[in-house]
Amino acid sequence: MLFAVLAFATCGGYSGQIMVKVECFDKTQNNISISFNYPFRLQEVHFSALLCEGPRKETLFLEGDYASSAQFFVTVSVLAFLYSLLATIVYFFYQNKYREKNRGPVVDFLVTLVFSSLWLVSSISWAKTLSGVKTVTDVHQILLLLSACRAQENLCEVLQEPIWTNLNMSVAFGFLNFFLWAGNIWFAYKETGLHKSIKRYPSRTPSEKRGSFRQYSQTSFDQSGAGFGQRLYNQGSFDLSSGGFSLPQTNLGQAILYQQVGSPTSRGPLIFVNEM
């Protein structure tokens, strides 16, 4: 938030001035003042200069319109500041609304992506524009525009040059804001919780799927083979006269006879187990 304000202040509040002293061969002097400021529509900046041919003067204009890039950079700065202020208020005072249905973190993540791109594009554009502004307002270019300064018998002296410190700082703050917003993308993404849902359902490679199929096949075979070792149970016939339980001879194994333990008068179900 602070760097967005600094980027806006250093660019939007800039005002430059150039002062040139012209001394004609007849000792006539003329001080020329050229002022320009944001949004740098330099084609509208004009000034009057002495021709050193009597009292005649000429009106000159600078060249170039750099308003679009400068205004775009300042607009991004203002919007980033307002969004940062709004997000801070919502995050601290409306935390429940922010977390409701995860809409707040998702919106914050998307807006962070957008502002990161805007800061990068606007900073590059403004840096290139600033280079053009410096070229047009260079004092040597100004002297070449003056007819009196092109004559060798006249003397021209630069009294004041524009100071570019604030505009250079605005470019630096622009790229610094880009790095800050780009670095915040990961933290905004973690707030959405999307990375947790991705880890919850990991994808399986084809080799893992083949290994799982082999393991399942082997387990199924072992389970089916284990059925051959199970005990076989056959139903026998009751001998009511002896009160016992008998089974004909079979080749499945030795028959084991179980009689009910209890009183002779009780007749309940008997269990016969044939072990392999």
Side-chain angles (χ1 to χ4, degrees), residues 214-226:
R214 294 194 189 101
Q215 183 180 2
Y216 174 76
S217 302
Q218 183 67 27
T219 305
S220 301
F221 178 77
D222 294 341
Q223 289 178 354
S224 61

Side-chain angles (χ1 to χ4, degrees), residues 10-11 44-45 57 85 104 147 149 169-171 185 203 269:
T10 52
C11 179
E44 299 177 358
V45 178
K57 290 187 178 183
L85 182 61
S147 301
C149 295
M169 290 177 61
S170 68
V171 174
I185 292 177
S203 58

Side-chain angles (χ1 to χ4, degrees), residues 40 54 74 115 120 134 245 251 272:
F40 306 104
V74 171
F115 270 109
L120 178 62
K134 290 181 179 179
F245 182 80
N251 58 355
F272 177 81

Side-chain angles (χ1 to χ4, degrees), residues 18 79 84 88 93 97 114 122 129 141 156 187 203 213:
I18 303 173
L79 292 178
S84 300
T88 302
F93 297 101
K97 293 289 185 181
V114 172
S122 63
T129 297
Q141 295 293 332
C156 295
F187 298 100
S203 58
F213 176 74

Side-chain angles (χ1 to χ4, degrees), residues 16-275:
Q17 188 174 13
I18 303 173
M19 292 190 67
V20 178
K21 178 183 178 181
V22 178
E23 184 177 352
C24 301
F25 64 94
D26 59 354
K27 303 302 179 180
T28 304
Q29 295 184 358
N30 181 26
N31 292 333
I32 303 172
S33 178
I34 307 171
S35 298
F36 60 95
N37 48 33
Y38 173 85
F40 306 104
R41 292 189 175 93
L42 299 182
Q43 81 279 6
E44 299 177 358
V45 178
H46 59 87
F47 55 94
S48 298
L50 192 66
L51 288 173
C52 291
E53 297 176 359
R56 295 175 55 192
K57 290 187 178 183
E58 63 178 349
T59 301
L60 302 174
F61 289 83
L62 298 180
E63 298 179 354
D65 185 1
Y66 303 94
S68 58
S69 298
Q71 289 176 335
F72 178 50
F73 181 78
V74 171
T75 301
V76 172
S77 303
V78 173
L79 292 178
F81 168 73
L82 293 177
Y83 175 76
S84 300
L85 182 61
L86 178 63
T88 302
I89 295 174
V90 172
Y91 191 81
F92 281 102
F93 297 101
Y94 300 95
Q95 185 67 228
N96 295 333
K97 293 289 185 181
Y98 178 79
R99 297 289 181 182
E100 185 177 357
K101 296 182 180 179
N102 205 33
R103 286 180 296 184
V106 172
V107 171
D108 188 28
F109 170 66
L110 296 178
V111 173
T112 303
L113 285 176
V114 172
F115 270 109
S116 298
S117 304
L118 290 177
W119 273 117
L120 178 62
V121 174
S122 63
S123 299
I124 294 175
S125 177
W126 171 232
K128 183 178 180 181
T129 297
L130 179 57
S131 177
V133 172
K134 290 181 179 179
T135 301
V136 174
T137 57
D138 183 68
V139 291
H140 299 288
Q141 295 293 332
I142 299 298
L143 294 178
L144 291 176
L145 288 176
L146 300 175
S147 301
C149 295
R150 291 198 296 267
Q152 296 182 356
E153 63 270 13
N154 300 323
L155 179 63
C156 295
E157 181 183 359
V158 178
L159 301 179
Q160 182 176 347
E161 297 184 16
I163 300 175
W164 305 109
T165 304
N166 288 345
L167 294 183
N168 292 334
M169 290 177 61
S170 68
V171 174
F173 285 134
F175 283 105
L176 182 59
N177 275 286
F178 161 69
F179 288 117
L180 290 176
W181 283 82
N184 195 40
I185 292 177
W186 169 244
F187 298 100
Y189 175 72
K190 288 181 65 177
E191 287 290 326
T192 61
L194 297 177
H195 64 290
K196 296 181 181 179
S197 60
I198 295 176
K199 291 181 179 179
R200 190 178 303 167
Y201 304 101
S203 58
R204 300 173 62 186
T205 61
S207 60
E208 292 176 347
K209 293 180 180 179
R210 288 194 296 269
S212 176
F213 176 74
R214 294 194 189 101
Q215 183 180 2
Y216 174 76
S217 302
Q218 183 67 27
T219 305
S220 301
F221 178 77
D222 294 341
Q223 289 178 354
S224 61
F228 293 101
Q230 295 176 354
R231 296 180 178 180
L232 299 179
Y233 299 90
N234 263 336
Q235 183 178 5
S237 59
F238 289 94
D239 188 356
L240 299 178
S241 61
S242 61
F245 182 80
S246 62
L247 183 71
Q249 292 293 329
T250 62
N251 58 355
L252 298 178
Q254 183 178 1
I256 301 175
L257 182 62
Y258 294 88
Q259 287 187 348
Q260 184 179 3
V261 179
S263 66
T265 60
S266 63
R267 291 293 183 266
L270 301 178
I271 301 174
F272 177 81
V273 178
N274 186 12
E275 292 186 345

